[in-house]
Amino acid sequence: MPETFEVVVNGDVVRVEPGTSAAAAILMAGHGACRKSVGGEPRAPLCGMGVCFECRAEVDGVRHVRTCQALCRAGMRIITDGI
Amino acid sequence: MSEPAPDVLVIGAGIIGAACAWRLAAEGARVTVLESDIAGGGATAAGMGHIVVMDDSEAEFALTRRSRQLWNDLAGELPADCEYRRTGTIWVAADEEEAAIVARKHAWYAERGVMTEILDARALAWAEPNLWAGLAGGLLVPDDAVLYAPCAARWLLERAGAELRCGACVERVESGAVALRGGERLSCGAIVCANGCAAAQLFPDVAVRPRKGQLAITDRYPGFVNHQLVELGYLKSAHGTASESVAFNAQPRPTGQVLLGSSRQFGVDTPEIEWPLMTRMIERAFEYMPALRGLSVIRTWTGFRAATPDGLPLIGQYAAMPGVILATGHEGLGITTALATAELVAGTITGSAAAICGEPYSPSRFAAAHSYA
Amino acid sequence: MGSERGRKIVVVGAGPAGIAAACAAAEAGCAVVLMDDNPTAGGQIWRGGGGREAAQWTARLEASGARCWYGACVVSAAGGTVVAERDGEPMRIEYHELILATGARELFLPFPGWTLPGITGLGGLQALARGGVPVRGKRVVLCGSGPLLLAVAAHLREHGARVEAMAEQADFGRLVRFAARLVRWPGKLAQGLGLQWALRSVPFLTGAWPVAAEGRGELESVLLRTVQGTRRIACDWLGCAFGLIPNAELAAFLGCRIEAGVVAVDEWQRTNVAHVFCAGEPTGIGGLERSLAEGQIAGWAAAGQETKARALFGRRADLHRFSAELAEAFELRQELKELASADTIVCRCEDVRRRELAGYGGWRGAKLQTRCGMGPCQGRICGPACSFLFGWDTLSGRVRPPVFPASMGTVAAAGERQRREARV
């Protein structure tokens, strides 16, 4: 059983396995969307490989991080619905 | 059968050409605009779209003040995609010496009825929290604005109802006619040459040359910067003749993106990014706004300003060819001065009264014209 | 010609082509650096591990002595130096030879509702699932075009997803002809038949494509056009992509000649730019074996091992023939140009709708006036869609730095060395 650890998504604690992407953690936390579009629509990952930028969220204080390529680390703080 | 010749042919559908077409059409002229590429696609697309009053000379001041007023009057009609915002400018003073300059500027503008406000270090920090806290202060010019120029150019052309021909390259200009590449010849009443640096190809004795600039734009960070921020050294960079210079110049876009300039380079006509100069420009910006370091840059680009020997545009009759009006050489103030330029151009053609005197911008001031050494 | 020992080779992209190139060059004695913006090697097809073949190559990579940098996103390259960003910091790596193995991305064609959360690419859904997105027990519909459709369906089913249907836009007739021609590649034929057997209980619709995705705030169902009429299928995930397109941006940035979106290379995988090679999908979509062959050829050629490189020319030619078959079988039909309605968003970064793009003669004019392509994806998603919808050239012309968004600090660092050299 791989050792799980905790990350925080919008203030909620989520337990994940190593190798989990921040995008997956956002979905596991029950948030259907990573961000709001220019027009206010909810948006979630599209390409899964770091080219579409729909999955971006704030990770550990840095905005516009592509969460599909960011591996979770213990204590990572993720905030969605940024810009 | 063919249409009657237009009253005015405007060469160039950038912000200057578009403004001239708009103004001339408003005064009843039938206008055809000839554009070699796409409307608003040259320096108009590359620049910062900053509408700013300048105090480096009475002539520059008159033109920028009048044009800024015209833009502000027009603001209510501009559609949303022109992104007009009255952000104001803050001329940033790095030290006490520059703070003294700020005080002089404030007095100079006050004498001429332009509202400005002196900001001390604390007021500056409050207005712009991401500026380095060690700056001395600044001069706030609240009625300056920013605009997305390609859309403004398009709108002006639409309002003019002018015939716009894209992909029409003018090869030769005569009194009353132009010859296009491919052989077509168009006759007309007056001709307005508003094609920026390319004017020198049509008229070799016209003293404009390209001055390359580079910019960078970030992803969205709403609230990172609130006013257009310009270092006082910008004036030296713009009016100097050094082959290369940079100056800190940052603009908040309505999208929340930060648009960063500025750089100037003579003697280069290729559009690639000049890395060393880009680095100089960005590092200069870091001195004023260290927090820029962590912002995500999504695009960089270059453009060519049309520069004249004395920094003032060429607006008025081209002496060698009656009926040909020059409207070029605006360097970094094309967007700002477009509407006042159009007013002067229209006045020259239709005889309508212009609000300012056009003499300082007359192309004939370089009568014994030499090419740049 | 002997090997060039100690020659610095930088390989951009750690998918199969990049791994193969790195192994070949490193084993020939070159000093190899392999970089990828993902957290681990494997690219898309071997993301999260891959099978036995992937494990063999990964082991070979580890033994080869190549230095691997992950999470490193290339931002610029010129004059023998690559500039990348890693963990927000700039890194500069010098090279004698540069091998671009930047792979491919999926082609997304807009249709009503395609921006709803729950809609991804085909490879995209597989990548997300491999990254931990839960799919067990979820209802999945997969559509679009190409071999990925079956491969992704099989993979997701293995992980417990309920694949409700697969919809391939190509006609049944085309697929039958393609299958018949696969006889020339028995391995691939066996693979295909194996997938079809594994998926035998899943409806596979040909001549079918999505006409709308539905849901309030998130995906609830998809409306498919099929040969027998429209069909609505409730689902939690919709994986939809219409084939692959080369990631040719870095090559374009370096000045490599691009023809019809594909990087032009000679028999040694050299581009027209000195010291720049390209291998794998960017030279033409062709799948795993082609990437492995081209990667090895590029690695050996860069290392001066021309005899070894030449030994794979025959295999590569055969795989190029397979690429041509793929392209023909899965050619996109014209009806797909009408998928996007006037109100459908085409540029997702800036929310630009199709009707706003009407009437522009080209990409640049549309971009300047509507903001289409001005977002952080730098036109990677909307550009190819606009190419397909309107026939615009959205790649050539100047590709300016940064090739991917990067911090201002990294962009500044990219020019530093040149500036220092200029002063001396």
Side-chain angles (χ1 to χ4, degrees):
Chain A
M1 164 84 161
E3 246 186 67
T4 60
F5 55 86
E6 287 179 356
V7 301
V8 182
V9 178
N10 292 343
D12 298 327
V13 171
V14 180
R15 188 155 278 281
V16 301
E17 291 178 2
T20 302
S21 68
I26 289 168
L27 287 161
M28 288 159 67
H31 298 279
C34 294
R35 68 178 202 97
K36 277 200 170 56
S37 76
V38 163
E41 297 178 349
R43 294 285 173 82
L46 175 74
C47 77
M49 58 182 69
V51 297
C52 75
F53 283 79
E54 290 282 53
C55 68
R56 58 197 199 276
E58 185 180 316
V59 174
D60 288 337
V62 179
R63 308 244 289 258
H64 304 299
V65 172
R66 285 170 272 172
T67 57
C68 71
Q69 287 186 318
L71 280 183
C72 286
R73 291 185 289 250
M76 181 181 269
R77 287 176 340 272
I78 301 165
I79 300 175
T80 67
D81 291 344
I83 305 303
Chain B
M1 247 335 266
S2 55
E3 301 251 341
D7 297 323
V8 186
L9 259 180
V10 175
I11 305 173
I15 196 72
I16 302 293
C20 289
W22 170 75
R23 185 65 196 232
L24 287 162
E27 294 186 17
R30 264 174 324 105
V31 182
T32 293
V33 183
L34 303 173
E35 166 56 53
S36 62
D37 186 13
I38 58 177
T44 298
M48 291 184 98
H50 186 198
I51 299 172
V52 56
V53 68
M54 299 286 270
D55 66 345
D56 43 279
S57 69
E58 293 291 353
E60 192 87 285
F61 171 70
L63 192 64
T64 56
R65 195 249 302 257
R66 173 63 180 161
S67 203
R68 187 184 78 166
Q69 181 63 56
L70 291 171
W71 277 117
N72 291 351
D73 291 343
L74 195 59
E77 296 175 51
L78 293 170
D81 62 5
C82 294
E83 296 184 345
Y84 174 93
R85 296 289 188 282
R86 199 173 300 199
T87 55
T89 304
I90 297 180
W91 293 90
V92 180
D95 51 32
E96 289 314 309
E97 190 187 324
E98 291 195 346
I101 297 173
V102 158
R104 287 197 295 276
K105 284 167 85 80
H106 172 73
W108 196 91
Y109 278 125
E111 278 167 32
R112 289 156 183 76
V114 171
M115 182 166 73
T116 66
E117 182 189 328
I118 296 178
L119 304 176
D120 64 12
R122 228 184 60 180
L124 181 67
W126 187 85
E128 293 290 350
N130 282 311
L131 277 173
W132 178 54
L135 296 166
L139 185 74
L140 169 64
V141 187
D143 294 323
D144 284 350
V146 303
L147 182 71
Y148 183 61
C151 285
R154 186 211 73 242
W155 181 79
L156 288 165
L157 287 164
E158 284 169 5
R159 285 289 282 249
E163 182 199 0
L164 171 64
R165 294 183 52 178
C166 291
C169 298
V170 174
E171 280 195 330
R172 212 174 53 252
V173 175
E174 303 150 19
S175 288
V178 303
L180 300 183
R181 188 181 308 158
E184 189 184 348
R185 200 165 170 283
L186 297 169
S187 41
C188 52
I191 295 167
V192 177
C193 178
N195 57 353
C197 299
Q201 285 153 30
L202 290 177
F203 309 107
D205 61 338
V206 163
V208 287
R209 58 171 175 156
R211 202 166 192 198
K212 186 173 177 181
Q214 309 193 127
L215 299 97
I217 195 164
T218 70
D219 208 329
R220 294 168 183 241
Y221 299 91
F224 183 85
V225 57
N226 304 307
H227 309 79
Q228 177 119 13
L229 303 177
V230 190
E231 63 157 296
L232 280 171
Y234 176 87
L235 296 164
K236 231 188 313 182
S237 171
H239 291 283
T241 49
S243 63
E244 259 185 35
S245 64
V246 301
F248 169 60
N249 194 341
Q251 179 185 105
R253 301 293 311 134
T255 55
Q257 294 169 282
V258 181
L259 177 57
L260 188 69
S262 62
S263 76
R264 284 172 156 80
Q265 236 183 332
F266 278 124
V268 183
D269 59 5
T270 52
E272 282 72 34
I273 292 284
E274 311 270 337
W275 272 120
L277 201 56
M278 176 65 78
T279 295
R280 255 185 84 188
M281 182 183 96
I282 295 176
E283 288 184 348
R284 181 66 175 165
F286 289 164
E287 291 176 42
Y288 285 84
M289 274 189 132
L292 280 169
R293 194 177 287 276
L295 300 193
S296 175
V297 174
I298 59 180
R299 212 161 63 249
T300 63
W301 65 91
T302 64
F304 294 92
R305 309 173 183 82
T308 59
D310 61 0
L312 288 173
L314 300 167
I315 309 172
Q317 289 279 4
Y318 177 51
M321 231 177 255
V324 174
I325 318 292
L326 297 177
T328 181
H330 292 82
E331 224 267 354
L333 291 170
I335 313 302
T336 299
T337 63
L339 297 186
T341 297
E343 194 177 51
L344 285 170
V345 165
T348 308
I349 294 175
T350 69
S352 59
I356 61 174
C357 171
E359 195 54 43
Y361 326 105
S362 162
S364 303
R365 70 188 190 270
F366 298 118
H370 302 292
S371 56
Y372 280 93
Chain C
M1 188 168 297
S3 72
E4 317 258 7
R5 298 200 89 83
R7 202 154 175 73
K8 292 186 198 167
I9 316 272
V10 170
V11 181
V12 179
I19 292 173
C23 287
E27 288 160 8
C30 297
V32 175
V33 169
L34 175 62
M35 332 178 37
D36 196 293
D37 60 341
N38 287 293
T40 55
Q44 309 320 320
I45 197 166
W46 287 342
R47 183 182 289 269
R52 200 177 36 141
E53 189 178 21
Q56 283 170 348
W57 276 102
T58 312
R60 192 172 158 187
L61 178 67
E62 274 163 35
S64 71
R67 185 95 167 80
C68 300
W69 291 104
Y70 300 114
C73 190
V74 173
V75 156
S76 173
T81 306
V82 167
V83 178
E85 182 162 82
R86 188 166 182 269
D87 281 338
E89 292 298 316
M91 53 186 307
R92 251 196 305 270
I93 304 181
E94 291 179 350
Y95 62 86
H96 293 125
E97 313 291 339
L98 181 65
I99 302 179
L100 305 177
T102 47
R105 61 183 184 274
E106 298 187 274
L107 174 63
F108 293 99
L109 297 181
F111 55 88
W114 77 297
T115 55
L116 285 169
I119 301 177
T120 64
L122 289 167
L125 186 53
Q126 180 165 294
L128 290 166
R130 283 179 170 155
V133 166
V135 293
R136 185 165 295 279
K138 305 282 189 206
R139 299 160 304 169
V140 176
V141 172
L142 300 173
C143 50
S145 194
L148 263 182
L149 196 43
L150 288 181
V152 170
H155 174 87
L156 290 175
R157 280 189 96 223
E158 276 169 38
H159 290 265
R162 283 171 45 190
V163 181
E164 309 276 86
M166 298 175 284
E168 163 64 62
Q169 57 89 35
D171 283 327
F172 183 72
R174 274 209 199 209
L175 297 174
V176 163
R177 284 194 298 279
F178 176 63
R181 293 207 207 94
L182 269 190
V183 162
R184 295 190 50 182
W185 295 278
K188 293 188 188 293
L189 182 58
Q191 205 177 45
L193 291 172
L195 283 174
Q196 286 190 332
W197 178 251
L199 294 164
R200 63 193 179 281
S201 64
V202 180
F204 181 75
L205 309 163
T206 61
W209 55 84
V211 291
E214 303 159 327
R216 282 149 308 180
E218 60 178 5
L219 176 69
E220 290 169 15
S221 57
V222 61
L223 203 60
L224 295 176
R225 179 270 186 196
T226 76
V227 168
Q228 285 148 348
T230 50
R231 194 198 285 202
R232 174 176 281 107
I233 307 181
C235 52
D236 305 303
W237 289 100
L238 175 65
C240 180
F242 292 89
L244 296 175
I245 47 183
N247 287 328
E249 283 73 20
L250 181 54
F253 175 76
L254 284 158
C256 300
R257 196 171 67 245
I258 316 278
E259 286 154 8
V262 154
V263 183
V265 290
D266 68 8
E267 56 184 356
W268 307 107
Q269 305 292 145
R270 282 182 196 274
T271 68
N272 60 309
V273 176
H275 306 293
V276 178
F277 295 76
C278 188
E281 307 280 61
T283 71
I285 303 300
L288 176 62
E289 284 96 344
R290 176 173 166 166
S291 292
L292 288 170
E294 289 196 357
Q296 287 175 90
I297 291 170
W300 280 321
Q305 304 261 287
E306 265 142 30
T307 314
K308 280 190 165 155
R310 198 189 300 276
L312 278 182
F313 280 13
R315 176 149 176 71
R316 180 182 58 189
D318 183 56
L319 292 163
H320 279 200
R321 281 189 287 272
F322 176 70
S323 285
E325 298 289 353
L326 265 184
E328 210 247 287
F330 298 103
E331 187 188 358
L332 296 181
R333 54 205 307 154
Q334 293 301 304
E335 292 97 309
L336 299 174
K337 292 190 176 168
E338 305 313 316
L339 281 190
S341 71
D343 272 337
T344 303
I345 287 175
V346 175
C347 168
R348 297 172 68 119
C349 294
E350 300 293 324
D351 277 9
V352 182
R353 294 168 194 273
R354 182 178 190 161
R355 56 176 148 73
E356 299 173 67
L357 298 170
Y360 289 100
W363 177 235
R364 188 159 179 262
K367 199 174 179 184
L368 282 179
Q369 291 292 326
T370 69
R371 299 186 56 80
C372 181
M374 281 194 181
C377 95
Q378 301 172 320
R380 282 183 171 82
I381 302 298
C382 59
C386 287
S387 278
F388 182 75
L389 290 174
F390 310 120
W392 298 340
D393 179 353
T394 61
L395 179 62
S396 63
R398 300 180 290 275
V399 176
R400 291 223 175 81
V403 175
F404 266 99
S407 72
M408 192 82 74
T410 297
V411 175
E416 241 167 52
R417 155 155 294 131
Q418 291 166 37
R419 197 158 55 99
R420 276 196 226 112
E421 281 171 357
R423 274 192 199 142
V424 167

